[in-house]
Amino acid sequence: GETLDVSRDDLASILADTEQRAAERRARQQTCGAVAHPLPATLSPEMPLAAARALLLRHGEPALPVLDSEGRPFGVLSMAALVAAGGAATRPLPARARRATALLFGRDTAPTVGSLVEMEFVAVRDNAPLAALLARFHDGAQQVYVVDGDGRLTGIVRPQDLLAGLGGDVLEAAA
């Protein structure tokens, strides 16, 4: 046999490159749907803000998605938006005042989720490779919603979910 003159540093570099390529290959084979988990709650535009606030607090979520009637996300309601809205978001009018206002103005003035929904949110398809999540988190997303082929919400992924689901592979692939 032939003998190769390879230094330890060269060998370590070759091994590191091989491990990185393997981690990237594993990350490409996994999908976003595989690391997503269900949300504890979702909101509808018609939901009273007081009920939405209670859900956010109960589940310890900074924001929850607002879904249309077919289960497609079209925005989020964040705790920050509730705080910015002040008292109107947390103290709905008493029933008698709402009825009187509805008679006077022809509509119910109880504040709803639809009045504070934020239209900007980040989503990926459930069959997209994990690289799509890495890109969204690299761009500053704190959470990424996962939707199916019809655009219906199937779950959520946060950076800690991605790291926990893949262990060191994500770190190796990102390096």
Side-chain angles (χ1 to χ4, degrees):
E2 235 178 276
T3 316
L4 294 175
D5 184 20
V6 179
S7 72
R8 285 181 182 242
D9 290 341
D10 289 341
L11 189 56
S13 177
I14 292 168
L15 186 57
D17 288 346
T18 303
E19 288 173 344
Q20 181 174 348
R21 284 191 192 106
E24 289 171 351
R25 188 172 44 256
R26 285 190 299 273
R28 278 193 305 269
Q29 291 169 349
Q30 288 225 11
T31 64
C32 296
V35 296
H37 61 85
L39 282 145
T42 60
L43 308 173
S44 70
E46 303 82 24
M47 178 181 282
L49 286 176
R53 176 182 171 273
L55 284 172
L56 286 163
L57 290 171
R58 180 180 318 131
H59 296 292
E61 295 289 331
L64 285 171
V66 180
L67 307 182
D68 67 15
S69 61
E70 295 180 15
R72 294 182 180 99
F74 70 89
V76 296
L77 178 69
S78 68
M79 190 59 76
L82 285 173
V83 170
T90 58
R91 291 188 305 271
L93 290 172
R96 181 180 284 177
R98 278 199 320 271
R99 284 192 301 274
T101 306
L103 286 172
L104 285 172
F105 298 106
R107 61 182 168 82
D108 191 348
T109 60
T112 63
V113 168
S115 66
L116 289 181
V117 68
E118 301 165 50
M119 301 306 233
E120 292 188 25
F121 63 95
V122 180
V124 295
R125 292 298 262 303
D126 56 359
N127 61 354
L130 287 184
L133 284 172
L134 292 172
R136 300 311 187 284
F137 291 133
H138 183 265
D139 291 341
Q142 297 298 310
Q143 58 189 22
V144 178
Y145 295 111
V146 180
V147 297
D148 65 16
D150 293 324
R152 290 184 182 86
L153 184 69
T154 61
I156 186 171
V157 179
R158 294 184 181 95
Q160 62 266 32
D161 302 322
L162 187 59
L163 291 174
L166 294 178
D169 287 352
V170 173
L171 297 174
E172 292 170 17

